[in-house]
């Protein structure tokens, strides 16, 4: 049985008040108290950050517990185990004896073990005539039994904190997704608002977080992101109410387009047979309207005439030039003087890039006719940005033109994907 006297360490190891405190607490254990050793060990593994022990030290403790003959820690069974360092090394997966001694010292310093040394420092036990152990010298597990409630409470705190951190991460992910999708929808639908500033604010909030944020940092960032999401939703709701009060603006817009099939955008160039040349527009109101290839347009009464072509050409929405340049910064190198200040500069750069990418003049003319000159130049900029991922730029552009005519293509998602990709690349470089 374990004696109730205070024991001091063997040899040059000094006695500390912490060791004395652990021994005093161990003598106050209730006589009938029992704890499952493996459940207590799992709780200790959970509470490890608060207890102040390493995972290697817990591996040594696991080996020590394996030498305890019962599953339940109790004073009546004795609480001292006395394996040699060689035996501990075998059960600690071959850990070196010097390392085992170091981690044993960590466990004793943390108040999880008591060293009960023999007069010569060896570990052994005295047995009585009946074979029962009268006294043992080794390591006492009494502190584990005495601190079982404390260890379980600390484990519960760690688990609760981990769950709280996980919930914060989930809410942050959902909030970020909501804001990103709402901005994409606003840009796609042409909603009024400074969406690029809001997008930059969102990126700033995310970049401010460290790689492994604490719960307080996540909570503060989440509060700001939720306020930002509420602001975005309020702006979109106000615009929806305004549209509902003004009747059916989409129908009015289509009616205005169809009522004047001869109107064309001054920024849409008409191409001749030579690359990069523009056709001179005819301002005579008595002449028949012509398409962008110089051919006469069909009468406006035809279902597939100029009205249908104009509607298809304007089915894509143009996006702010700043957004295009943010998504496709490589196009800046091909602008006049190495810069792009307006849409005409972008379209000039697109003509240069078109030739460099191997896109035929006819394919680019069809894209301008189907998408509009601004959108065609935007698509060329996007193809340049994704040059390594597209094998045939000309075929890809023709496919997008056909999809535009069927109403199956939108530029907004392509631009936003490139904005996110460029932002991620900048973060990796920094």
């Amino acid at each position: 049985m374990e004696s109730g006297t205070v024991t001091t360490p063997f040899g040059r190891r000094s006695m500390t008040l912490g060791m004395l405190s652990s021994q005093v607490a161990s003598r106050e254990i209730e006589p009938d108290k029992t704890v499952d050793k493996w459940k207590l060990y799992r709780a200790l593994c959970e509470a490890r950050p608060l207890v102040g022990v390493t995972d290697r030290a817990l591996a040594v403790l696991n080996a020590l517990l394996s030498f305890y003959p019962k599953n339940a820690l109790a004073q009546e069974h004795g609480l001292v185990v006395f394996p040699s360092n060689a035996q501990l090394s075998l059960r600690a997966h071959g850990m070196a004896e010097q390392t085992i001694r170091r981690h044993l010292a960590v466990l004793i310093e943390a108040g999880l073990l008591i060293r009960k040394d023999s007069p010569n420092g060896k570990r052994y036990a005295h047995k009585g005539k009946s074979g029962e152990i009268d006294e043992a010298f080794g390591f006492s597990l009494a502190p584990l039994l005495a601190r079982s409630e404390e260890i379980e409470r600390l484990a519960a705190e760690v688990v609760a904190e981990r769950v709280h951190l996980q919930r914060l991460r989930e809410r942050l992910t959902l909030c970020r997704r909501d804001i990103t999708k709402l901005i994409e929808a606003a840009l796609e639908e042409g909603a009024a608002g400074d969406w690029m500033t809001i997008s930059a604010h969102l990126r700033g909030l995310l970049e401010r977080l460290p790689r492994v944020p604490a719960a307080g940092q996540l909570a503060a960032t989440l509060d700001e992101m939720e306020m930002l999401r509420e602001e975005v939703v309020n702006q979109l709701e106000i615009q929806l109410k305004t549209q509902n009060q003004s009747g059916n603006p989409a129908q009015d817009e289509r009616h205005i387009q169809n009522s004047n099939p001869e109107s064309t955008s001054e920024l849409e160039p008409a191409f001749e047979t030579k690359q990069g040349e523009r056709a001179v527009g005819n301002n005579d109101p008595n002449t028949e309207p012509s398409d962008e290839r110089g051919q006469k347009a069909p009468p406006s009464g035809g279902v597939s005439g100029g009205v249908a072509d104009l509607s298809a050409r304007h089915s894509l929405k143009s996006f702010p030039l700043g957004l295009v340049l943010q998504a496709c910064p490589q196009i800046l190198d091909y602008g006049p003087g190495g810069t792009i200040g307006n849409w005409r500069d972008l379209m000039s750069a697109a003509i240069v890039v078109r030739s460099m990418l191997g896109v035929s003049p006819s394919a680019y003319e069809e894209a301008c006719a189907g998408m509009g000159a601004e959108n065609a130049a935007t698509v060329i900029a996007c193809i340049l940005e994704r040059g390594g991922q597209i094998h045939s730029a000309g075929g890809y552009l023709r496919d997008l033109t056909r999809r535009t005519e069927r109403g199956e293509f939108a530029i907004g998602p392509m631009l936003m994907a490139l904005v996110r990709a460029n932002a991620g690349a900048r973060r990796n470089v920094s």
Side-chain angles (χ1 to χ4, degrees), residues 110-122:
L112 299 176
L113 291 178
I114 294 176
R115 188 189 298 272
K116 187 180 178 183
D117 285 342
S118 65
N120 61 0
K122 301 296 183 179

Side-chain angles (χ1 to χ4, degrees), residues 409-427:
F409 172 64
I411 300 179
M414 178 186 294
L415 287 175
M416 293 308 298
L418 290 174
V419 168
R420 289 194 296 269
N422 291 335
R426 285 194 295 271
R427 284 197 299 271

Side-chain angles (χ1 to χ4, degrees), residues 183-257:
I183 292 176
E184 290 179 357
L187 291 172
E188 179 67 21
E189 298 295 331
D194 193 359
W195 304 115
M196 297 312 302
T197 301
I198 295 176
S199 180
H201 186 194
L202 175 63
R203 290 197 303 272
L205 290 176
L206 295 175
E207 291 172 356
R208 189 177 63 188
L209 285 173
R211 184 176 297 274
V212 184
Q217 295 171 319
L218 285 176
T221 302
L222 179 60
D223 289 340
E224 295 187 45
M225 288 183 63
E226 287 178 342
M227 293 176 60
L228 184 62
R229 178 176 60 184
E230 185 176 355
E231 178 184 350
V232 172
V233 172
N234 288 338
Q235 290 189 27
L236 294 178
E237 286 181 349
I238 291 173
Q239 183 152 347
L240 288 175
K241 291 178 181 178
T242 303
Q243 290 179 355
N244 292 335
Q245 291 174 358
S246 62
N248 192 346
Q251 183 176 357
D252 296 341
E253 182 181 357
R254 287 196 300 270
H255 175 71
I256 292 173
Q257 289 177 356

Side-chain angles (χ1 to χ4, degrees), residues 290-360:
S290 59
D291 63 8
E292 293 180 345
R293 301 183 188 177
Q295 299 175 350
K296 291 185 178 181
S300 59
V303 176
S304 61
V307 174
D309 293 339
L310 188 61
S311 177
R313 187 165 61 247
H314 290 280
S315 62
L316 286 181
K317 292 182 174 62
S318 297
F319 291 86
L321 180 61
L323 174 61
V324 176
L325 297 180
Q326 182 181 357
C328 311
Q330 295 185 33
I331 195 70
L332 290 168
D333 298 335
Y334 303 92
T339 183
I340 294 177
N342 51 50
W343 281 106
R344 193 168 298 278
D345 291 344
L346 179 64
M347 289 185 287
S348 300
I351 293 175
V352 177
V353 172
R354 172 204 63 76
S355 176
M356 183 186 70
L357 295 177
V359 178
S360 64

Side-chain angles (χ1 to χ4, degrees), residues 107-173:
L107 293 171
I108 294 170
E109 183 69 22
L112 299 176
L113 291 178
I114 294 176
R115 188 189 298 272
K116 187 180 178 183
D117 285 342
S118 65
N120 61 0
K122 301 296 183 179
R123 300 170 200 161
Y124 56 87
H126 293 301
K127 295 184 179 180
K129 294 181 180 180
S130 60
E132 295 182 356
I133 297 176
D134 290 335
E135 188 172 14
F137 298 98
F139 297 100
S140 173
L141 304 176
L144 289 176
L145 185 59
R147 300 179 58 186
S148 59
E149 293 85 358
E150 177 192 356
I151 292 172
E152 291 173 354
R153 176 178 56 81
L154 294 177
E157 291 179 4
V158 172
V159 171
E161 179 68 16
R162 184 169 63 244
V163 171
H164 177 59
L165 191 65
Q166 181 181 357
R167 296 293 184 269
L168 285 176
R169 289 181 180 275
E170 290 175 353
R171 290 174 57 192
L172 189 70
T173 300

Side-chain angles (χ1 to χ4, degrees), residues 22 38 55 69 73 102 110 115 139 182 217 277 319 327 340 378 380 411 427:
S22 297
W38 297 122
D55 53 348
L73 294 176
R102 185 171 66 250
R115 188 189 298 272
F139 297 100
L182 289 172
Q217 295 171 319
E277 295 184 355
F319 291 86
I340 294 177
T378 300
I380 287 293
I411 300 179
R427 284 197 299 271

Side-chain angles (χ1 to χ4, degrees), residues 264-282 290-295 344 347 351 361 364-365 368-369 373:
T264 57
S265 171
E266 62 177 5
L267 295 179
E268 294 178 3
F271 290 88
E272 297 291 346
T273 56
K274 294 183 179 180
Q275 173 183 343
E277 295 184 355
R278 298 184 180 181
V280 179
N282 189 354
S290 59
D291 63 8
E292 293 180 345
R293 301 183 188 177
Q295 299 175 350
R344 193 168 298 278
M347 289 185 287
I351 293 175
Y364 189 52
E365 290 179 24
C368 289

